[in-house]
Amino acid sequence: MLKAVLFDDEYIVTQGLQMMVDWSRYGIELVGTAADGLSALAMVRELQPDIVMTDIRMPGLTGLQLIEVIAMEKPDTACIIFSGFNEFEYIRKALKLGVIDYLDKPITLEKIDEAIGRTITRIGHQQEHTQLKTQVAANKETLLEKAALDLLLQGKEAVPAWRTAFGLVEADRVVGVTVLAATGKGEWMEEHPSYRPVSFPYEKEWVTVIFHYELPADQLWEQLTLRSPHMQETIGSGQTYGDLGEAGASLKEAVRALRYGVFLEEKGWNRFEHAEDSFPHGLTECEEEIVFCMRTGNKEGLLRTLDEYKHCMEAERLSPESVEQEVLKLAYIGYQVAKESGGEMKQQTNVAYRELGGMTSRDKMFEWLQEQMEMFLNFMKEDKHATKHNAVEKALVYIEQNYLHSFTLQEVADHVGMNATYLSLLFKEKVGTSYIKYVTKLRMEQAKMLLLKGMLVNDVSKKVGYYNYRHFTELFKKYTGLTPGQFREGHGTGSRLSEPAQEGGEHEQ
């Protein structure tokens, strides 16, 4: 039902029209009346009516002044104006402001009936136009999402269709692409002049394809860094590619980073570079699944993946020689994953490929593969108990000695002689928390001590290994519930100190 308001300083007009007109017959509810312009304006802002009927002459604000404000604030409102004078200049101004009808007093039921009929027709046309525009915009967005998905799945072949959906002029500005994969849609991605995000659900993840208008993508990384401490989702990012045909590679990397982030229970942003394994690029999805299952000790998942792989090979009807090559390749992948644990491989744990050469049955080959992979997985479980203590203890000592400086997980892994991803899994298993959370806790506790000693926040940030002041402030607030300045003030050490202006000329609050 449409909402209408009636404004006139003559009580008989407002009272008469309110009582004599059967508003419900038109599908209209008369929601308010007013006798002066200022009260009328306040009512319009509060009630947001679809139809405004007003006299030209009113105290406070004239009808024209009122309509002028409505035209700026709510231009879709239908306005009807009436007057008891032949005020042609007012009529001209009213029409320029988009008034739908102008009625001479006295107002009769016949005049009201005709005016309301014309108004309802006008509103109907406006609504149809608005709906059409909304549908067109939604269709464009849907087409763009589909084009972006095709770009991820088909590569270079999908570029022409994507350019059309994206807009040829805008497409010419795009210089690179990055893919993010997340556990949920969230509200963590904002528009920015340097890139355009396109988001949509894909399989179990929510994917955002970032089309860059300039590189390097510093604005994107800064936004993710600042927002990461407050995210309720886990997000993985792939690498940035200058060739749009490589968008699919960025998607695979983003999904891999997401999976490791979820396994480590890391909310917020996880970079592919932090989850990248030591194998060459170009592993198939099945091979990557095998790597993931072995690293995480998921025997059930490993056996399920091997079974799915067997069925795929059977469906392709490969020759015995081809099956042997594929099986051997998987066996060597398992062997390399087992080696990355850092333990000493026993002689019998090596790939017994000579046994495979004498087999002519696919079933026998896959039975051999499963035995090999289970042997590698068991070795990793046994070796994990023997080596994880020493490796993690060595990592803890390194972190304790260096946490006040900026360093990466890869540097810690190099120090202990272990693959970075595998070390992060061992660290979580032994310490009970992830590497990132552990380092952050050490730094935040040290930062609290330095703040209590009266050190300036910007100096504390650098002192504990964060050279981005805003990132440090966000992490500190997430850890303590207070900004560094609030923490210091709350402990009585801030009254004698003043902060220098930080990024953007802002002082810490």
Side-chain angles (χ1 to χ4, degrees):
M1 183 171 283
L2 299 173
K3 294 189 295 184
V5 289
L6 177 61
F7 307 136
D8 199 302
D9 59 348
E10 295 183 42
Y11 176 78
I12 191 170
V13 174
T14 55
Q15 190 66 16
L17 292 178
Q18 187 174 2
M19 297 182 63
M20 294 174 63
V21 177
D22 184 3
W23 299 99
S24 61
R25 180 165 69 90
Y26 303 102
I28 294 174
E29 179 186 5
L30 187 62
V31 293
T33 63
D36 67 88
L38 293 176
S39 300
L41 180 58
M43 188 174 290
V44 168
R45 287 171 170 167
E46 178 186 355
L47 301 178
Q48 298 288 302
D50 304 290
I51 303 170
V52 172
M53 293 175 285
T54 180
D55 192 11
I56 276 186
R57 295 184 181 274
M58 287 189 300
L61 283 178
T62 68
L64 284 182
Q65 290 172 327
L66 173 65
I67 290 171
E68 201 167 359
V69 175
I70 293 173
M72 289 189 294
E73 296 184 1
K74 197 170 182 289
D76 292 336
T77 305
C79 295
I80 301 172
I81 200 163
F82 38 81
S83 174
F85 304 92
N86 291 324
E87 299 163 303
F88 296 108
E89 184 61 26
Y90 280 127
I91 296 173
R92 188 178 67 82
K93 289 182 179 179
L95 292 174
K96 287 182 68 175
L97 289 171
V99 169
I100 289 179
D101 232 321
Y102 183 95
L103 304 181
D104 291 325
K105 288 185 178 179
I107 307 300
T108 65
L109 292 179
E110 184 179 357
K111 289 180 181 179
I112 283 290
D113 183 68
E114 293 175 356
I116 290 177
R118 287 190 292 268
T119 302
I120 290 175
T121 300
R122 173 79 171 269
I123 290 174
H125 290 159
Q126 287 178 339
Q127 290 177 341
E128 289 175 4
H129 182 63
T130 301
Q131 289 173 357
L132 183 60
K133 286 172 63 178
T134 302
Q135 289 173 0
V136 169
N139 288 339
K140 283 185 177 180
E141 193 63 28
T142 300
L143 288 173
L144 179 55
E145 291 173 9
K146 182 182 182 304
L149 176 59
D150 289 343
L151 192 64
L152 298 179
L153 301 180
Q154 300 173 19
K156 294 182 184 297
E157 295 180 7
V159 171
W162 167 81
R163 284 177 54 82
T164 301
F166 198 80
L168 297 179
V169 174
E170 288 295 295
D172 286 339
R173 296 178 53 209
V174 174
V175 295
V177 61
T178 306
V179 179
L180 311 177
T183 52
K185 182 178 182 180
E187 299 297 333
W188 43 268
M189 195 72 252
E190 290 184 350
E191 296 279 351
H192 192 275
S194 66
Y195 57 79
R196 180 179 177 184
V198 178
S199 300
F200 47 87
Y202 172 66
E203 296 186 349
K204 297 180 181 179
E205 291 82 35
W206 191 274
V207 169
T208 299
V209 186
I210 308 294
F211 295 101
H212 299 281
Y213 296 132
E214 60 183 55
L215 293 176
D218 295 338
Q219 295 294 338
L220 174 64
W221 306 136
E222 181 178 358
Q223 182 183 151
L224 289 172
T225 298
L226 294 176
R227 287 182 169 268
S228 183
H230 307 293
M231 291 177 183
Q232 297 305 309
E233 304 84 14
T234 301
I235 299 167
S237 67
Q239 296 184 101
T240 300
Y241 291 88
D243 183 354
L244 293 182
E246 298 295 325
S250 188
L251 171 64
K252 288 183 178 180
E253 294 163 356
V255 170
R256 184 188 300 174
L258 174 64
R259 292 194 66 187
Y260 278 106
V262 170
F263 182 79
L264 292 171
E265 299 177 356
E266 285 290 350
K267 301 259 185 215
W269 177 33
N270 296 267
R271 301 184 67 141
F272 163 72
E273 290 82 358
H274 297 165
E276 186 175 14
D277 55 47
S278 57
F279 299 117
H281 294 290
L283 294 182
T284 66
E285 290 184 13
C286 174
E287 292 161 353
E288 288 191 0
E289 183 69 17
I290 287 173
V291 170
F292 184 79
C293 290
M294 292 191 69
R295 282 179 171 168
T296 56
N298 183 358
K299 183 176 181 179
E300 181 181 346
L302 175 64
L303 295 179
R304 183 183 65 251
T305 304
L306 290 173
D307 190 55
E308 291 173 355
Y309 187 74
K310 175 186 176 184
H311 290 308
C312 288
M313 291 293 102
E314 290 172 344
E316 291 184 23
R317 304 182 66 83
L318 298 178
S319 66
E321 292 78 15
S322 297
V323 173
E324 180 181 338
Q325 289 179 359
E326 292 298 319
V327 166
L328 188 60
K329 178 183 177 183
L330 283 181
Y332 269 109
I333 287 174
Y335 175 73
Q336 291 296 329
V337 175
K339 277 187 67 177
E340 78 178 14
S341 65
E344 291 295 327
M345 298 285 287
K346 300 173 184 176
Q347 184 64 34
Q348 63 267 32
T349 316
N350 294 336
V351 179
Y353 63 89
R354 291 184 180 84
E355 299 174 8
L356 186 64
M359 299 177 185
T360 57
S361 163
R362 271 198 304 258
D363 289 338
K364 289 290 184 183
M365 290 183 184
F366 280 108
E367 285 178 12
W368 175 86
L369 175 63
Q370 181 171 319
E371 290 174 1
Q372 293 287 309
M373 301 302 275
E374 287 190 70
M375 177 178 64
F376 296 143
L377 191 63
N378 290 334
F379 163 78
M380 291 178 70
K381 287 183 177 180
E382 294 170 5
D383 185 67
K384 187 182 290 186
H385 293 293
T387 64
K388 75 176 181 181
H389 180 80
N390 291 335
V392 175
E393 286 297 330
K394 193 174 180 181
L396 288 170
V397 171
Y398 182 88
I399 293 170
E400 186 70 33
Q401 293 174 344
N402 295 278
Y403 74 91
L404 296 180
H405 308 289
S406 179
F407 60 85
T408 65
L409 173 62
Q410 185 61 57
E411 291 177 63
V412 181
D414 290 342
H415 178 73
V416 302
M418 185 176 286
N419 172 273
T421 303
Y422 190 68
L423 174 62
S424 70
L425 298 175
L426 285 182
F427 194 97
K428 173 75 184 299
E429 184 176 328
K430 175 168 175 56
V431 181
T433 188
S434 70
Y435 155 81
I436 293 175
K437 288 182 179 177
Y438 182 82
V439 174
T440 300
K441 180 180 179 181
L442 285 178
R443 289 173 169 172
M444 292 301 108
E445 290 299 324
Q446 180 65 19
K448 285 162 65 176
M449 293 175 57
L450 296 174
L451 288 168
L452 292 177
K453 291 179 179 179
M455 185 177 289
L456 296 177
V457 177
N458 197 38
D459 294 338
V460 172
S461 174
K462 295 175 182 177
K463 195 76 174 174
V464 296
Y466 296 104
Y467 295 98
N468 185 312
Y469 168 84
R470 292 173 62 193
H471 184 209
F472 166 69
T473 300
E474 293 285 344
L475 286 175
F476 190 91
K477 186 174 182 180
K478 181 181 180 182
Y479 185 77
T480 66
L482 301 169
T483 67
Q486 290 168 342
F487 177 84
R488 192 186 59 202
E489 295 283 345
H491 289 80
T493 61
S495 59
R496 67 183 184 277
L497 298 172
S498 61
E499 285 295 332
Q502 304 301 337
E503 295 180 21
E506 296 177 353
H507 289 271
E508 184 198 17
Q509 301 297 317

